[in-house]
Amino acid sequence: MKSTLDDSLITIIERDMKKSLLLYIMLSAITFLYAQQSFGTIEGKLKIEYPKQEKAEINVNLVEVSARSLVQTSKVSGEGRFIFYNVPFATYDLIVENTMEMYNAKRVVVNSPVVINVEIDSIKRQEFSPVIIIGTNAAFDKSRASSHTVVSERMIDELPVSSSTKVIENILLSTPGAIPDEDGRMHFRGEDAQMQYIIDGIPITGNLTRVYSSLFNASMIKSVDIQTGNFGAEYGVDNSAILSVNTKSGFDKELFGSAFAGLGTFKGQERGFDLGGTVSKGFALYGNLNYSSSDKYLDPIMSSQPNHSSGKNISFFGKGDVVLSSQMQLHFLGNMNKTDFEIPNTKPNSKQDQRQAMNDYMAGFRMNYNINSSGVLSLLGYRRYSKTEFTSNGLKKLSYPSDTSSAMNNDKMFIGAERINENNGGQLDYSTNQNWCGVPHVFLAGISREIFPLKEFFNFAITNPLLTDTSVAGGDLAYKSYDLTKGGKPFLVDAARTGKRVSAYLQDQFMYNDKWSFSCGLRFDRYSLFENETELSPRISATYLWSDDLIFHISYNRIFMQVPVENILVSSSNEALQITKQVGTSNIVKSERSNVLELGGAYKLNSNVDFELVGYSKLIDNFIVKVELGNSGIIFPVNLKKGLVAGGELRTRLHNWNNISATLSFSTCASLGLKPNDGSNPIGAGLIIGEEGQNYSHPFAGEDMFKTEHNQLFTAVLDIAYHNPNGFYGTLNGRFDSGLPFDLAGKDGVGLDEAASIAELKSRGYSDAIISLLSLSPEKPGSPDKSLAPRVLFDLGLGYDFRNSFDFPLKLSANILNLLNTEFLYKFESSFSGTHYGYPRMVS
């Protein structure tokens, strides 16, 4: 039966952390802190005489119910005691197992940081009909009115990827509602990738994609949960999606370690190791070191083959857990990352040498105090520092006349930049389980404070005279003053500013009549950078368990999404307002505010198959979009005044049928900017130049709404995993994308039909090969709306784990990405905005 359990992996991790809020922060970009408590602790004891065998090891397995995924395993002590730390909020079965047999035991619901005490006084040898001690026998957790995807450690290990640093990208691409963009950027449910990472309970905002930060090393992950809808009041800052990561812990085993190495296409290399264990009864350590490199770090831009796009990353992560007493626990962690990569060139033999280097470190602690059996108090503190430097041919700034000759080696423009982000913060929160008026309640409250100094230096200058030649398609005379070939001077911003934020929330969740679950919350945010922004955000949801096999949920969220701080000083500068020349716009990019409604349900057909259907809508003010400068990876946040997003998702899952598990999902999303009723510029603020700026500020006159860069009308994702008990496994991932939009108009600004579009693109120098990757038929006569051509991609992973059949600690795997070698584009844009090719066939 052990294989039956192992074969059911797709694990979970949900929101935040244990007895209040575990301390852990890490990674790159910038860190904003919000009181989030989505992890708990389970302590238990076997009171029965469990099977005694010579040298038998008794374990208790923690299995998440909805995905039937193994989350953690705890060894039972000689006194029959076991404990699980850092348990994501969800419903679990506790399954007792010895070396020969497996026994089902009890079901528990973890929905607060308060310690759950479990006594197991009887066990039965049976297939999968656990004794219920909390909740019902339903496969659904009625305390969660949200859409979420769970992924287990073993599924992560078996994903077909080129590197462990790309694992998160692949996990997200398998999530309904996720739309891929260039260089690993994502759009969730019609918005930019303003997702919030939570690492062992510590929230990390900022874009953890290749162009923004060092990537997250997935070899340290225990489980992952991605939530895309209905966020509780404890979640703030970035709310297009919540990605919760539960890392490995020294408490997992007395002593464990592993080493790994890999080789792949385009000189891909990876190697690393991790080590952890329980030092003493109440003290555990874990550490991970990883190095990876590739000649294809960023997406190529002139063909599917890389050209000046190598990159490398080295990362170290360490954490410790200390049980100071029966009432107090201390958790601490730290990490360091260093990443260097090249910016792709547009010519095969270009002399351009643009590079970006990123360094960051983080340290933090958290202390939990169990006030009593029903309440937990948590204190958290942290510091994070991140520095990013962008150079062109070794130069960051054009300081001397002699620098101009070096700058002219750039294909289109010289770019030099430096960005420094610091984060210093603290948090205090309280969690309690109570029975008020005969109804069980889970009550959460928290407050946090953060100070984040920002420094940004940015300058660019045009080095290709065609970009300011109005006789050439895409040429714009407005940028002549920055054209070095015509006597112009560099565009320059050198700014520093300190931001502050105070946040607080109250959240109460309660059950009624064993059918209903309600959650009512209120969040307060006060954010100060350029000006004071304040918001009260109600969060309300309800679920109804119609039967053990059918559940419905509805929610309303007011979302205050803080504007991303990467390049925010540049995009909100007076200099940016002057260069965009957008009449009626502001020079301050503001935080996004939206009203979000979600309605959904789930149905379990039988023990192997279930379905989920969700619909959502968002009405948005200060809609955040992002604009890339050329193909540089320098991306600026921009506000559209108003936006509307609407979509839906259908997902079906197959659980462990003849050693096969599978997921099939379909999603649709319309992401639209709205024209102001007064006929003014739809752009609210931000550095937006070139044709993309023209398209956003002058949308097609025949429509009241226009597509944003997040719009994709149809996506389908298929994941199939086969796992044989003898150790062989295979994973096949398939994905269909209908294609992101772009605008194409003639010199008169009028949209072109398909034949005229082909002629226009050929006059701009585009080849038939590139044109074949575009869908050029207009939706309406005269509309400039076009899109990338639809594409279907398959990735295949095969492997063998020698531990299953030979008890030898070795695993071998081989992955083929883009199995059919399909050529496709992530994005197609103008001279100032980048064109990015998708990955060709790759083997690792």
Side-chain angles (χ1 to χ4, degrees):
M1 186 180 307
K2 183 175 182 178
S3 63
T4 303
L5 174 63
D6 287 345
D7 288 342
S8 65
L9 293 168
I10 308 177
T11 278
I12 122 184
I13 173 176
E14 226 258 293
R15 304 192 220 174
D16 310 287
M17 164 149 205
K18 150 183 164 191
K19 301 181 178 181
S20 184
L21 228 207
L22 192 48
L23 121 61
Y24 305 33
I25 217 164
M26 76 183 265
L27 240 37
S28 44
I30 63 188
T31 311
F32 297 104
L33 184 44
Y34 282 71
Q36 289 156 330
Q37 311 185 43
S38 297
F39 289 78
T41 300
I42 301 173
E43 294 182 356
K45 183 178 181 180
L46 295 179
K47 298 180 64 176
I48 44 82
E49 290 291 324
Y50 46 83
K52 294 188 179 295
Q53 296 175 318
E54 189 174 345
K55 297 183 180 179
E57 181 178 281
I58 308 299
N59 295 316
V60 177
N61 294 316
L62 187 68
V63 179
E64 194 272 332
V65 170
S66 66
R68 279 182 287 177
S69 304
L70 176 62
V71 177
Q72 294 185 34
T73 297
S74 177
K75 183 178 178 180
V76 178
S77 70
E79 297 79 31
R81 297 189 178 278
F82 60 91
I83 188 167
F84 294 101
Y85 296 100
N86 308 339
V87 179
F89 286 3
T91 301
Y92 299 93
D93 284 321
L94 297 174
I95 300 179
V96 183
E97 172 195 28
N98 65 23
T99 54
M100 299 295 294
E101 301 285 348
M102 184 169 293
Y103 302 82
N104 289 339
K106 293 191 175 183
R107 177 165 293 178
V108 298
V109 175
V110 181
N111 56 12
S112 88
V114 177
V115 176
I116 296 176
N117 290 290
V118 177
E119 289 187 351
I120 299 177
D121 53 12
S122 65
I123 55 178
K124 299 179 181 180
R125 189 182 288 107
Q126 50 188 325
E127 278 300 310
F128 225 99
S129 54
V131 178
I132 307 305
I133 63 171
I134 300 178
T136 71
N137 196 27
F140 307 113
D141 181 1
K142 66 176 181 292
S143 67
R144 298 187 61 174
S146 61
S147 302
H148 70 108
T149 301
V150 291
V151 187
S152 69
E153 178 185 4
R154 195 182 72 181
M155 183 177 179
I156 291 170
D157 288 342
E158 298 172 3
L159 278 174
V161 295
S162 58
S163 162
S164 66
T165 58
K166 303 291 180 66
V167 165
I168 294 295
E169 292 180 16
N170 285 56
I171 291 175
L172 295 177
L173 287 175
S174 296
T175 305
I179 301 170
D181 208 330
E182 89 286 350
D183 296 324
R185 282 209 303 146
M186 299 282 171
H187 306 296
F188 270 97
R189 289 190 170 185
E191 299 194 68
D192 190 76
Q194 282 295 99
M195 82 177 76
Q196 184 166 327
Y197 280 67
I198 299 173
I199 313 301
D200 289 333
I202 299 300
I204 298 176
T205 62
N207 290 283
L208 302 186
T209 55
R210 286 173 253 165
V211 294
Y212 285 119
S213 70
S214 301
L215 292 173
F216 191 86
N217 172 22
S219 63
M220 70 179 76
I221 295 177
K222 189 76 174 178
S223 61
V224 173
D225 184 294
I226 304 104
Q227 183 178 340
T228 55
N230 184 35
F231 306 114
E234 68 267 33
Y235 295 105
V237 184
D238 292 343
N239 282 49
S240 65
I242 306 294
L243 189 146
S244 297
V245 176
N246 185 202
T247 66
K248 298 175 183 177
S249 168
F251 281 126
D252 290 346
K253 296 180 182 178
E254 291 183 0
L255 180 65
F256 64 92
S258 64
F260 51 93
L263 296 173
T265 311
F266 305 121
K267 299 182 181 179
Q269 299 182 51
E270 183 171 26
R271 51 188 177 272
F273 69 89
D274 63 356
L275 183 66
T278 304
V279 179
S280 63
K281 185 177 180 180
F283 180 39
L285 293 172
Y286 172 75
N288 182 290
L289 181 67
N290 185 78
Y291 170 84
S292 63
S293 64
S294 172
D295 278 356
K296 190 199 160 298
Y297 189 82
L298 296 187
D299 298 325
I301 61 175
M302 57 173 292
S303 73
S304 61
Q305 298 301 308
N307 178 37
H308 193 270
S309 57
S310 65
K312 58 184 179 181
N313 168 267
I314 184 168
S315 65
F316 169 77
F317 172 76
K319 76 175 187 179
D321 304 278
V322 185
V323 180
L324 299 174
S325 70
S326 60
Q327 290 182 294
M328 186 176 297
Q329 307 87 39
L330 173 66
H331 312 279
F332 56 90
L333 67 76
N335 82 293
M336 298 178 65
N337 300 284
K338 180 177 176 61
T339 304
D340 300 275
F341 57 86
E342 299 174 329
I343 306 301
N345 294 336
T346 57
K347 302 174 184 177
N349 300 313
S350 174
K351 294 181 180 180
Q352 175 174 281
D353 182 21
Q354 294 184 344
R355 298 172 181 266
Q356 186 161 311
M358 297 181 288
N359 296 275
D360 63 84
Y361 70 84
M362 182 281 309
F365 77 93
R366 201 198 62 175
M367 184 172 291
N368 294 332
Y369 178 70
N370 301 324
I371 299 174
N372 50 43
S373 61
S374 61
V376 177
L377 191 68
S378 181
L379 175 66
L380 169 68
Y382 64 91
R383 170 175 168 77
R384 188 177 181 285
Y385 176 90
S386 175
K387 180 179 180 179
T388 300
E389 188 175 65
F390 191 107
T391 58
S392 293
N393 294 80
L395 295 174
K396 188 168 61 178
K397 182 179 180 180
L398 300 180
S399 303
Y400 306 100
S402 58
D403 294 339
T404 302
S405 60
S406 179
M408 296 305 296
N409 289 322
N410 290 284
D411 297 341
K412 292 184 177 182
M413 61 190 76
F414 166 86
I415 299 175
E418 182 178 277
R419 183 175 70 242
I420 297 176
N421 298 334
E422 296 181 55
N423 303 90
N424 304 283
Q427 174 176 296
L428 181 66
D429 55 62
Y430 175 71
S431 220
T432 184
N433 291 358
Q434 297 290 340
N435 195 309
W436 294 327
C437 302
V439 177
H441 291 254
V442 178
F443 180 78
L444 309 173
I447 185 169
S448 66
R449 166 78 167 173
E450 185 178 71
I451 299 175
F452 47 100
L454 305 175
K455 294 182 180 179
E456 291 179 6
F457 168 84
F458 173 78
N459 69 157
F460 91 98
I462 293 172
T463 58
N464 185 334
L466 297 180
L467 294 182
T468 56
D469 187 346
T470 55
S471 66
V472 177
D476 193 332
L477 193 61
Y479 310 108
K480 182 178 179 180
S481 57
Y482 310 106
D483 189 342
L484 297 182
T485 68
K486 299 175 182 178
K489 302 294 182 181
F491 173 85
L492 175 64
V493 175
D494 191 356
R497 188 176 285 267
T498 296
K500 300 177 182 179
R501 184 182 38 74
V502 174
S503 303
Y505 78 87
L506 299 172
Q507 181 90 27
D508 185 26
Q509 183 180 35
F510 57 94
M511 316 294 178
Y512 176 72
N513 197 28
D514 203 35
K515 291 287 186 180
W516 288 94
S517 174
F518 299 94
S519 180
C520 302
L522 183 65
R523 179 179 185 83
F524 169 81
D525 290 287
R526 181 177 177 84
Y527 167 67
S528 303
L529 185 60
F530 300 101
E531 58 187 23
N532 292 327
E533 298 185 74
T534 302
E535 184 72 20
L536 280 173
S537 306
R539 311 281 176 85
I540 303 170
S541 67
T543 65
Y544 179 68
L545 192 66
W546 181 278
S547 68
D548 288 349
D549 299 325
L550 181 62
I551 191 170
F552 299 99
H553 66 81
I554 186 171
S555 66
Y556 165 76
N557 285 186
R558 174 66 173 177
I559 300 295
F560 175 75
M561 189 181 298
Q562 185 173 299
V563 62
V565 297
E566 297 90 355
N567 303 314
I568 182 63
L569 300 186
V570 177
S571 196
S572 296
S573 64
N574 291 325
E575 292 86 350
L577 186 60
Q578 294 170 11
I579 191 175
T580 58
K581 295 181 172 59
Q582 305 287 3
V583 178
T585 62
S586 168
N587 67 324
I588 297 177
V589 181
K590 294 180 172 62
S591 298
E592 181 180 292
R593 292 169 165 84
S594 61
N595 295 301
V596 183
L597 182 66
E598 179 178 325
L599 178 65
Y603 174 67
K604 184 181 71 170
L605 180 65
N606 53 44
S607 60
N608 296 112
V609 180
D610 61 61
F611 301 88
E612 182 180 14
L613 179 64
V614 175
Y616 58 88
S617 64
K618 308 176 184 181
L619 188 60
I620 305 172
D621 293 318
N622 299 328
F623 195 4
I624 297 172
V625 296
K626 292 186 178 177
V627 178
E628 184 182 18
L629 183 61
N631 301 286
S632 65
I634 301 291
I635 300 174
F636 300 103
V638 171
N639 284 143
L640 301 180
K641 291 178 180 176
K642 287 187 176 295
L644 174 66
V645 174
E649 300 153 7
L650 172 64
R651 173 169 56 178
T652 181
R653 296 183 296 185
L654 174 68
H655 302 282
N656 190 33
W657 177 76
N658 293 326
N659 299 320
I660 297 174
S661 296
T663 302
L664 176 63
S665 68
F666 304 94
S667 57
T668 182
C669 180
S671 178
L672 307 168
L674 303 181
K675 291 182 179 179
N677 293 330
D678 59 6
S680 63
N681 189 346
I683 297 175
L687 179 53
I688 184 166
I689 63 176
E691 285 184 87
E692 191 168 19
Q694 174 70 17
N695 296 333
Y696 271 132
S697 59
H698 297 82
F700 177 48
E703 299 172 328
D704 294 327
M705 298 176 283
F706 55 94
K707 297 177 181 178
T708 72
E709 60 168 342
H710 321 132
N711 186 88
Q712 183 163 277
L713 292 183
F714 187 71
T715 302
V717 178
L718 173 66
D719 296 313
I720 302 176
Y722 172 79
H723 208 285
N724 192 287
N726 67 12
F728 171 78
Y729 64 86
T731 303
L732 178 66
N733 296 344
R735 182 179 178 93
F736 171 86
D737 288 285
S738 59
L740 292 176
F742 67 94
D743 282 9
L744 180 65
K747 293 181 180 180
D748 56 1
V750 177
L752 306 172
D753 61 22
E754 184 171 7
S757 296
I758 293 174
E760 174 68 19
L761 290 172
K762 286 186 174 181
S763 72
R764 299 187 184 193
Y766 290 103
S767 65
D768 290 335
I770 293 180
I771 294 173
S772 68
L773 305 179
L774 308 174
S775 181
L776 299 173
S777 298
E779 296 182 355
K780 295 182 179 181
S783 171
D785 293 340
K786 307 289 187 291
S787 69
L788 305 179
R791 61 182 183 266
V792 179
L793 303 173
F794 292 98
D795 299 333
L796 176 66
L798 301 172
Y800 190 83
D801 192 336
F802 288 80
R803 290 173 293 186
N804 290 39
S805 297
F806 301 98
D807 197 26
F808 186 69
L810 177 67
K811 180 188 290 185
L812 299 177
S813 63
N815 302 313
I816 304 176
L817 308 184
N818 195 353
L819 184 64
L820 305 180
N821 201 27
T822 302
E823 193 165 21
F824 68 98
L825 295 176
Y826 282 119
K827 175 173 284 187
F828 179 81
E829 289 291 355
S830 65
S831 301
F832 282 91
S833 298
T835 294
H836 296 263
Y837 278 82
Y839 58 94
R841 181 186 292 133
M842 300 172 63
V843 178
S844 66

